[in-house]
Amino acid sequence: MDRLAIVVPCYNEEEVFPISEPVLRGTIDDLVSKGKVSEDSYVLFVNDGSKDRTWDLIEEAHKEHPKRVFGVKLAGNVGHQFALTAGLLTAKDMCDITVSIDADLQDDVSVIEEMVDKFHEGCDIVYGVRSDRTSDTFFKRTTAQGFYKVMSGMGVKTVYNHADFRLMSRRAVEAFSQYQETNLFLRGIVPLLGYKTDCVYYQRAQRAAGESKYPLSKMLALAFNGISSFSVKPISMILGAGVVMIIIALGVAIYSIVQYCLNHVEPGWTSLMLSIWFIGGMQLIAIGLIGQYIGKVYIEVKHRPRYNIEKVLSDDSEEK
Ligand code: UDP
Ligand code: MG
């Protein structure tokens, strides 16, 4: 039977914790009684350096339900992505399935069962996807959707309308742990892992209590981090701009020389016009070229694994 760990990053969530803790615990009890996960499954709360009573509440809950509620206390606030990573890597060696979910219950816990079913059908990664965002404010909705558009425009593979509500098998987390990069953007890395994946759909609810811990500034930082960690396209865009400028320079050259021959110009104008456009274009091309190398260095220093193995067939190996 497979042991399930629900991983929940919490930052200043004292208001919502008393609501979400019993719900998540209940979800596990339910799955256990249906025989879908093992009796020793648990919820792992990661306290991301909260300044309020969140950790005390986690400790109390652990005392009351020592077999169901586990906790990890990070030494300081490191942000949602790292807190979640800490939780996944802690859970990795003591479970077979992880499900990550936010503490605020905006994601529908009832689809966790569907996720587990898909795991049993052979999926290693199951994405929770919002089927609509009517519960979000207009602002959050448009900015978030713009974000997915820009990401895909930049060539970053992400799952549309999927946040960090997902199931990952133990070996998927194992593969993920090989990605050692510091600028971590989970939503970009998970699709790189490969393995059999699937989606489940749900309606996103309002926050159960408390306020969003993701103000616009953090969202913009997440977006920029996502793009700059996965794409060197902006560098190619500079190179492209340089080429465009040289083409314009050719047009300007023809125009200025014609004007010069027709004697329509002040002395010095022609040479100025020619130099400005050519030098500008050449400079952009030069920066773009250097950028290409820096982009390569950047990709190399990440030391990403080049592949993940799903199965090996050989004469003496058990099926892995
Ligand atoms: N969170 C975290 N560290 C932070 C900010 C947020 O662990 O620095 C957690 C937070 O407790 C919640 C999840 O990340 O469980 C998502 O945050 P929130 O619901 O505020 O974001 P939103 O849904 O508004 O985008
Ligand atoms: Mg939320």
Short mmCIF file of all heavy atoms in Angstrom, two decimals, residues 102 104 106 204 207, ligand 2:
data_model
loop_
_atom_site.label_atom_id
_atom_site.label_comp_id
_atom_site.label_asym_id
_atom_site.label_seq_id
_atom_site.Cartn_x
_atom_site.Cartn_y
_atom_site.Cartn_z
N ASP A 102 -1.60 24.43 -1.17
CA ASP A 102 -1.45 25.63 -0.34
C ASP A 102 -2.26 25.48 0.93
O ASP A 102 -3.25 24.74 0.98
CB ASP A 102 -1.93 26.87 -1.10
CG ASP A 102 -0.98 27.24 -2.22
OD1 ASP A 102 0.12 26.67 -2.26
OD2 ASP A 102 -1.34 28.11 -3.02
N ASP A 104 -4.21 27.59 2.23
CA ASP A 104 -5.45 28.37 2.30
C ASP A 104 -6.67 27.66 1.73
O ASP A 104 -7.74 28.25 1.65
CB ASP A 104 -5.26 29.72 1.60
CG ASP A 104 -4.81 29.54 0.17
OD1 ASP A 104 -4.76 28.39 -0.30
OD2 ASP A 104 -4.50 30.54 -0.49
N GLN A 106 -7.54 27.02 -1.21
CA GLN A 106 -8.12 27.52 -2.46
C GLN A 106 -8.22 26.38 -3.48
O GLN A 106 -9.00 26.46 -4.41
CB GLN A 106 -7.24 28.63 -3.04
CG GLN A 106 -7.42 29.95 -2.33
CD GLN A 106 -6.72 31.07 -3.08
OE1 GLN A 106 -5.51 31.19 -3.03
NE2 GLN A 106 -7.48 31.87 -3.78
N ARG A 204 -11.30 26.81 -8.50
CA ARG A 204 -10.52 27.41 -7.44
C ARG A 204 -11.44 28.24 -6.55
O ARG A 204 -12.21 29.06 -7.02
CB ARG A 204 -9.45 28.31 -8.04
CG ARG A 204 -8.46 28.82 -7.02
CD ARG A 204 -7.18 29.18 -7.74
NE ARG A 204 -6.42 30.19 -7.04
CZ ARG A 204 -5.34 29.91 -6.33
NH1 ARG A 204 -4.95 28.68 -6.19
NH2 ARG A 204 -4.65 30.87 -5.74
N ARG A 207 -9.86 32.17 -0.73
CA ARG A 207 -9.07 31.85 0.45
C ARG A 207 -10.01 31.55 1.61
O ARG A 207 -10.96 32.30 1.83
CB ARG A 207 -8.24 33.07 0.82
CG ARG A 207 -6.82 32.72 1.09
CD ARG A 207 -6.04 33.97 1.35
NE ARG A 207 -4.63 33.61 1.23
CZ ARG A 207 -3.96 32.97 2.17
NH1 ARG A 207 -4.53 32.71 3.30
NH2 ARG A 207 -2.71 32.63 1.98
MG MG B 2 -3.81 31.20 -2.04
#
